Amino acid sequence: MAETMRHGIIILPEQRWHQARDRWVTAERLGFDHAWTYDHLMWRWFREKPWFATMPTLTAAATATSRIGIGTMVASPGIRHPVAFAKEIMTLDDISGGRAICGVGAGAGGFDDEALGLRRLNPRERADRFAEFVDLTDQLLREPETTYRGDWFTTTGARLHPGCVQRPRAPLAVAATGPRGIRLAACHADIWVTIAWPGHGEPVRYDEALPVLREQSALLDKECEAIGRDPASVRRLVVTGAMIDGVMESVETYRDACGLLGGIGITDLVVHWPRPDFPYQGDFSVLEDVANEVLLPGRAA
């Protein structure tokens, strides 16, 4: 299963580019299929620490690499308007030569909302806003011209020329853990993204997360079938390190996680670049061992 799994890594935008560049280049060299960064103005434990903007970081990463997919994990309507965001994704796809991945999520509020002076939304409002965000972003990236009237977003004659290099658009990765979000992913996503549970609470070991991930994946199957879509047309991506732990303890745990997750239909496994301290503390030598023993042999095969 490790050889058939797609492998990804999240690189926090915490370093000046002359240092960060090496991480993105190394991620490609190590054999990862895709690399991502978080899309926030400020983020949780890094509110008082260095934190750089997402799209310039991804653009620089695109020019420093040649093969690896480049994506937002994840952009949200709290700080993004679909028209401006879609234009940036189209441009990133062009600069990268067709390697952009458009990762989107509902957003959890917090520091970004405070920085922008936004009122706190209730769960229903956040879900309603996200549904429009995904629907409009999908349309914008597919169509040369879009007019849209919604409760949260409106645009008239928005033009995206010449469009994405990838057709019909850059892949859309929709993060969702609940029924309504999973239904949205079934309608729009090329990739469904889950962390098993929302939030940043106490993580559980990857094998203990399997029942929840299996249930979510089965719901995605059901929602796809309800609209006449082949469930196999949606990739299933699990992000570890926040609510799912233990994957990067060793090569053996990584292989085991790939096998267990692949056995329930997960197609993509994402880890975090190991940091010297909390959060995502880890050993870079384990990452190298995983690359040498799992990722690179799998690419050669």
Side-chain angles (χ1 to χ4, degrees), residues 18-53:
H18 72 273
Q19 297 171 294
R21 183 184 187 279
D22 183 63
R23 291 188 175 184
W24 291 87
V25 171
T26 300
E28 181 168 76
R29 176 178 60 80
L30 292 178
F32 282 98
D33 297 289
H34 34 72
W36 313 73
T37 201
Y38 288 156
D39 190 29
H40 293 284
L41 300 176
M42 299 178 290
W43 184 67
R44 296 180 185 270
W45 307 287
F46 283 71
R47 189 172 186 177
E48 307 298 330
K49 297 180 180 180
W51 191 264
F52 291 92

Side-chain angles (χ1 to χ4, degrees), residues 114-131:
E114 293 175 15
L116 295 173
L118 303 176
R119 70 176 179 87
R120 184 175 294 275
L121 303 182
N122 63 46
R124 178 178 291 277
E125 289 175 318
R126 185 173 290 109
D128 289 344
R129 183 180 67 174
F130 184 48

